[in-house]
Amino acid sequence: MNRLVSALAFAGTMHAGVALAGYCTTPVPTATGMPIDAAWSMNNVHYAVNPTPPADLDAMRVKTAIKAAFDAWDAVDCSNLTFTADPDVMTTVFPQTGMFIHIQFAHSAATWSPSMQMMDRVAARYFSYDTNGKITSANIMLNAIPAAEGAPGYHWSDTGAMGAFDIQSVMTAQIGGVLGLGRNDMNMMSVMYPSYATGSTAKRTLADDDKNALRHLYPMPGGACVDPGPPDPMCTTTGTGGMGGAGTGGAAGSAGSAGGAGSSGGTA
């Protein structure tokens, strides 16, 4: 069964007398029929990279940029989520299964095709979840398809170079999506705002909305931290789907079109 998530964000609103945080989550259906925010069941999430970047980039520097993106989420206080880098994975099959996040570049339309997303998307992401709403595997794919194959021919950089998408910035947003965060349309400072611009490193830095979303999904046990409050209930609808944003300047994209009893797809 295919379902779509329509994600809207309303910052700083009030509902039924309760302060609501300005972030979105990704509710998914469960065995009981009641939606629940998708999230990993473990506190330490592993990831693996296919270290085959575009020809003009150094693989080690690309991996460093990806690690820095994970470090941004790892550094959020009052969240108990951490990350571990696994050995490289050379496969280009999308999506991969297993209890980890698989990351790769798509260098051809054939590699990109299983994402079921248009080739103007900067990136695609996908995660599977069980009947309790717990994420069981995730995939992120960055669009490096050459223009000769009908794609925009996006360029990538680890330095924020003009005319190229910044790997760390895009990855920071994509990681948020596979951790269970939803699209944030109202806060342009949020990494989950569905827009990217070439030459920009702005999304390397998490906004308070992003941090609060992580604190909500992965709270520190023991009651030592203040709960940031629930996301606005008007922010999401039940189902699976994705967040949009494409091209330089990041026009809003369409909902993702992966589906099934346990999968969620999206673009950016």
Side-chain angles (χ1 to χ4, degrees):
M1 53 184 171
N2 291 323
R3 293 190 176 96
L4 300 179
V5 165
S6 176
L8 300 175
F10 297 85
T13 59
M14 299 289 291
H15 182 77
V18 178
L20 299 167
Y23 62 83
C24 292
T25 53
T26 307
V28 296
T30 62
T32 65
M34 295 296 294
I36 190 171
D37 291 339
W40 292 83
S41 61
M42 69 280 287
N43 297 330
N44 180 254
V45 176
H46 288 235
Y47 69 93
V49 179
N50 179 328
T52 309
D56 58 340
L57 294 177
D58 177 76
M60 288 305 299
R61 292 184 60 166
V62 168
K63 290 173 64 175
T64 297
I66 292 171
K67 180 181 184 301
F70 278 100
D71 287 347
W73 292 103
D74 202 347
V76 176
D77 62 344
C78 290
S79 167
N80 70 343
L81 193 65
T82 59
F83 304 95
T84 297
D86 285 348
D88 295 343
V89 177
M90 298 308 297
T91 182
T92 59
V93 175
F94 181 96
Q96 288 289 300
T97 58
M99 298 287 286
F100 70 103
I101 301 171
H102 178 248
I103 301 156
Q104 68 183 84
F105 282 90
H107 297 285
S108 68
T111 300
W112 182 263
S113 178
S115 73
M116 296 186 290
Q117 307 299 339
M118 295 182 293
M119 287 195 295
D120 66 343
R121 301 310 187 195
V122 175
R125 63 178 174 268
Y126 177 101
F127 66 75
S128 300
Y129 56 89
D130 62 22
T131 55
N132 296 312
K134 297 303 182 183
I135 299 172
T136 56
S137 66
N139 292 259
I140 297 171
M141 186 158 52
L142 304 182
N143 185 349
I145 308 169
E149 295 192 36
Y154 293 136
H155 296 283
W156 293 88
S157 168
D158 65 331
T159 63
M162 296 300 294
F165 288 107
D166 182 62
I167 295 168
Q168 183 179 334
S169 291
V170 175
M171 279 300 305
T172 301
Q174 292 301 306
I175 292 166
V178 298
L179 295 181
L181 277 71
R183 167 175 170 165
N184 187 338
D185 283 308
M186 296 300 290
N187 183 356
M188 295 180 67
M189 301 303 293
S190 169
V191 301
M192 300 309 296
Y193 185 79
S195 174
Y196 298 113
T198 57
S200 173
T201 60
K203 288 183 182 288
R204 293 184 180 187
T205 303
L206 302 182
D208 286 343
D209 282 354
D210 307 317
K211 296 176 183 178
N212 284 334
L214 199 72
R215 293 164 182 150
H216 173 75
L217 291 171
Y218 306 94
M220 187 71 72
C225 298
V226 177
D227 190 311
D232 193 308
M234 296 184 68
C235 177
T236 55
T237 57
T238 305
T240 67
M243 303 75 193
T248 304
S254 59
S257 56
S263 62
S264 177
T267 61

